[in-house]
């Protein structure tokens, strides 16, 4: 058994090589996660820098560190202090300097809650401590301003750049912030192409860990323009459990793969309903189809979100952050799991780029 007064940093570092990141499959020392170790009087303090503040394996890593250090013997206390630095999955020379990861959120058909999930993923990442931007690329149906409660806001301008509207800890940009709410956008493909490029290149996004892009449904001009205009970390496909929605989602996933865009995963929205009076679960549209489809496509399944009146109310009232509170009938827990699963997939993409 080691004498705690003689325990060295080198011994602790050596012990920590047995602790592996469950997602990346390497030990936390080799990954460079361990930033500092302090020892003295039986107490060991380990400073660990994670790849995302929304790390789903934080407590697992904490437990494994405590076990590994205590196995050295004579240790009376282990303090693990976490910080986070999101790594970039994009090329060094990217058209959006300062943006580390770009995540497109798409769907094979409309009405599956794609824009709602784009907002909630952005809010969830920001609440975890990340720097997040949200680009509403659904030019024909820009619903993001309504969901964020910023319908009357207008972007600013500085040094020939458009300044996104900041709300709920994120930076948002949408065609809906540039035109009156009732005005229709009647544009052909080339005009849509130019608008998307301007949103990407002429908006001052600043330093972002994640830029979430809400795409229009289907496999048309906007996904193609986005994939051809700028490198993407990957795409998330949102669907509901019905067979027709799953078929459309599979086509969307294959489109992204054909464009060279990795599919980060699928999310099943409106997956189940829990009656607030009885607590009984009802599968209104079926359940689990997206998980089966993801497995058949060979892409990750990020999780399931229930159908719940609180989600509709939050979108109508522009209060999406309310869904992450403890009184959201379990919706917050489901959202947290999906946000963490997405953050993990992005971290894996960044690790593969650096490998």
């Amino acid at each position: 058994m080691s004498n705690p007064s003689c325990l060295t940093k080198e011994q602790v570092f050596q012990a920590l090589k047995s602790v592996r990141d469950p997602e990346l499959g390497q030990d936390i020392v080799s990954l460079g996660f361990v930033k500092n170790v302090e020892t003295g009087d039986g107490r060991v303090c380990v400073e660990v820098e994670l790849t995302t503040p929304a790390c789903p394996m934080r407590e697992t890593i904490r437990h494994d560190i405590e076990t590994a250090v205590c196995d050295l013997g004579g240790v009376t206390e282990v303090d693990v202090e976490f910080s986070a630095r999101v790594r970039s999955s994009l090329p060094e020379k990217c058209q959006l300097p300062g943006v580390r990861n770009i995540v497109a959120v798409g769907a094979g058909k409309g009405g599956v809650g794609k824009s709602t999930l784009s907002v909630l993923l952005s809010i969830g990442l920001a609440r975890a401590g990340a720097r997040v931007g949200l680009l509403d690329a659904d030019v024909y149906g820009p619903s993001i301003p309504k969901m964020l409660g910023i319908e009357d806001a207008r972007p600013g301008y500085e040094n020939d750049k458009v300044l996104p509207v900041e709300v709920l800890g994120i930076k948002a940009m949408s065609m809906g912030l540039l035109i009156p709410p009732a005005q229709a956008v009647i544009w052909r493909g080339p005009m849509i192409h130019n608008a998307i490029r301007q949103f990407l290149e002429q908006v001052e996004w600043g330093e972002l860990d994640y830029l979430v892009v809400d795409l229009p449904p289907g496999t048309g001009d906007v996904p193609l323009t986005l994939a051809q205009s700028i490198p993407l970390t990957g795409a998330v496909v949102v669907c509901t459990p019905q067979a027709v929605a799953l078929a459309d989602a599979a086509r969307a996933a294959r489109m992204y793969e054909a464009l060279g865009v990795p599919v980060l995963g699928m999310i099943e929205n409106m997956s189940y309903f829990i009656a607030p009076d009885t607590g009984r679960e009802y599968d209104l549209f079926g359940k689990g189809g997206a998980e089966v489809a993801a497995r058949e496509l060979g892409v990750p399944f990020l999780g399931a979100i229930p159908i719940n009146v609180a989600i509709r109310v939050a979108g109508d009232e522009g209060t999406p952050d309310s869904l992450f509170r403890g009184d959201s009938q379990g919706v917050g827990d489901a959202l947290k799991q999906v946000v963490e699963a997405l953050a993990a997939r992005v971290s894996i993409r960044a690790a593969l780029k650096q490998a």
Side-chain angles (χ1 to χ4, degrees):
M1 181 178 294
S2 301
N3 184 341
S5 63
C6 298
L7 193 64
T8 66
K9 293 183 180 181
E10 289 72 19
Q11 288 175 305
V12 176
F13 269 100
Q14 190 64 34
L16 293 177
K17 289 182 179 180
S18 67
V19 178
R20 301 178 69 84
D21 182 289
E23 297 285 350
L24 301 180
Q26 299 181 51
D27 72 87
I28 61 174
V29 175
S30 298
L31 288 168
F33 289 2
V34 181
K35 294 303 177 183
N36 190 34
V37 169
E38 296 292 340
T39 65
D41 296 326
R43 181 175 180 270
V44 177
C45 179
V46 182
E47 296 179 12
V48 178
E49 182 182 77
L50 302 172
T51 58
T52 173
C55 179
M57 298 297 175
R58 179 189 299 258
E59 293 310 311
T60 298
I61 293 173
R62 182 194 302 278
H63 174 268
D64 291 348
I65 288 174
E66 291 172 346
T67 300
V69 173
C70 286
D71 283 349
L72 291 171
V75 177
T76 58
E77 182 181 356
V78 181
D79 289 336
V80 183
E81 299 178 359
F82 287 110
S83 61
R85 179 176 65 87
V86 178
R87 276 67 165 175
S88 174
S89 63
L90 305 179
E92 291 185 10
K93 293 184 178 179
C94 179
Q95 293 97 316
L96 298 181
V99 177
R100 298 176 183 272
N101 300 283
I102 305 175
V103 177
V105 180
K109 65 186 296 293
V112 299
K114 167 192 55 61
S115 295
T116 298
L117 264 296
S118 295
V119 168
L120 295 176
L121 290 171
S122 300
I123 297 295
L125 289 167
R127 286 176 64 89
R131 299 167 298 180
V132 183
L134 174 58
L135 170 57
D136 184 359
D138 192 348
V139 176
Y140 292 124
S143 56
I144 297 298
K146 173 68 174 177
M147 293 183 184
L148 290 175
I150 54 173
E151 290 175 287
D152 297 327
R154 291 295 178 264
Y157 297 88
E158 185 176 283
N159 299 325
D160 296 326
K161 286 276 193 176
V162 180
L163 302 179
V165 174
E166 298 192 29
V167 58
L168 299 176
I170 68 173
K171 297 179 179 180
M173 188 61 205
S174 168
M175 181 62 71
L177 297 172
L178 303 175
I179 62 174
Q183 181 175 325
V185 177
I186 308 173
W187 288 354
R188 294 187 182 274
M191 296 180 70
I192 296 291
H193 178 90
N194 290 335
I196 297 302
R197 290 194 63 90
Q198 289 175 352
F199 278 151
L200 291 170
E201 298 172 2
Q202 296 182 16
V203 173
E204 184 56 67
W205 292 106
E207 295 285 332
L208 294 180
D209 296 315
Y210 307 95
L211 175 60
V212 178
V213 183
D214 176 36
L215 297 176
T219 57
D221 286 330
V222 175
L224 182 60
T225 294
L226 190 68
Q228 293 176 336
S229 298
I230 198 163
L232 296 174
T233 301
V236 173
V237 178
V238 179
C239 63
T240 50
Q242 304 100 309
V244 63
L246 292 169
D248 289 332
R251 280 189 283 270
R254 293 190 181 100
M255 175 201 68
Y256 292 122
E257 291 174 345
L259 294 173
V261 178
V263 178
L264 297 171
M266 296 181 70
I267 299 174
E268 183 170 280
N269 194 29
M270 309 180 204
S271 179
Y272 54 92
F273 171 72
I274 298 178
D277 52 347
T278 65
R280 183 177 176 183
E281 181 178 313
Y282 296 88
D283 300 334
L284 301 180
F285 304 118
K287 182 182 178 182
E291 186 170 8
V292 173
R295 185 163 57 246
E296 292 175 350
L297 290 167
V299 302
F301 178 65
L302 300 179
I305 304 298
I307 184 170
N308 191 293
V309 67
I311 298 177
R312 191 270 303 167
V313 171
D316 287 349
E317 296 182 352
T319 58
D321 56 322
S322 65
L323 296 171
F324 291 88
R325 299 170 191 159
D327 57 352
S328 59
Q329 302 174 6
V331 174
D333 291 336
L335 289 171
K336 183 174 182 290
Q337 292 175 11
V338 170
V339 168
E340 290 179 346
L342 172 59
R345 300 310 305 178
V346 173
S347 293
I348 291 171
R349 291 299 309 169
L352 292 174
K353 175 224 171 186
Q354 296 172 6

